[in-house]
Amino acid sequence: MINRQQSLQQFVEWWRVYCTGDEKGQAQIFLDRLFQAFGHMGVQEAGGVLEDRVKIKRDERNTTRFADLVLPGRVLIEMKKRGEDLRKHYAQAFDYWLHLVPNRPKYVILCNFDEFWIYELDYQLDDPRDKLRIEDLPNRWGPLAFLQPKPAPPIFQTDLIAVTKEAAYSLSQLFHSLAEGRKLPRETAQRMCWRSCWRSIRRCMRAFRPGRQSQRRVFRLVIQIGQS
């Protein structure tokens, strides 16, 4: 059985070969492949609705719009053609999200076949919580962890930076207590800190693969704070 990273790598390989970025012709195929990569049989089997009707009332007039994909209570996804500036479509996605009641989706995704912009509108408006390029999916799928059959809380880059700073500060405190409090040689204290840090990273990687950049960020922050 292939793991999540492998299935997402297969999705990226399909995307590189076959994806043209045509909104009308490929949006539903793209979304179905994406859901399969996250462990579903497909969009419909996951409970998603393609071209979901959104009832909007303005000035006593009722109109019906069509959202590209709605997974009730979980996510609204709007697809745009390749190369499209996603900032221009935030207002449309927000309007759909606002009117998707009851069971309003927790997350909103704008995608132009090359990049995902992930919003959590109950948390913050206007700005996405994270941006994720499709080629980075296999190593940094945490922002879309809620798409799994058993949804997990997403791990956004902004959260990861805050967590690594906190971890780096704690590790630097450990270093100072070993080197200064216990009077250990600096090199010995440093080795003990690296060992502790690596054990923590390995534990995290069992639940989520943060990628090499995230690991290096921890080490850089530890060095910077430890030298301060």
Side-chain angles (χ1 to χ4, degrees), residues 90 118-121 124-130:
Y90 167 77
I118 305 114
Y119 295 83
E120 187 178 2
L121 297 176
Q124 69 180 27
L125 299 174
D126 300 323
D127 296 320
R129 292 294 307 275
D130 212 336

Side-chain angles (χ1 to χ4, degrees), residues 37-56:
F38 271 97
H40 300 277
M41 294 294 292
V43 168
Q44 288 184 320
E45 291 84 349
V49 181
L50 296 165
E51 293 297 315
D52 192 23
R53 287 173 171 80
V54 183
K55 305 292 185 181
I56 298 175

Side-chain angles (χ1 to χ4, degrees), residues 123-124 128-130 140 155-163:
Y123 179 86
Q124 69 180 27
R129 292 294 307 275
D130 212 336
R140 200 174 81 79
I155 301 177
F156 297 120
Q157 193 72 9
T158 51
D159 296 335
L160 191 59
I161 291 171
V163 168

Side-chain angles (χ1 to χ4, degrees), residues 22 38 50 63 70 89 97 100 102 123 156-157 184 201 225:
D22 176 29
F38 271 97
L50 296 165
T63 60
V70 176
H89 302 282
W97 174 82
L100 281 169
Y123 179 86
F156 297 120
Q157 193 72 9
L184 293 178
I201 289 175
I225 297 174

Side-chain angles (χ1 to χ4, degrees), residues 155 175 181 208 216:
I155 301 177
F175 173 79
F208 168 67
R216 285 198 290 264

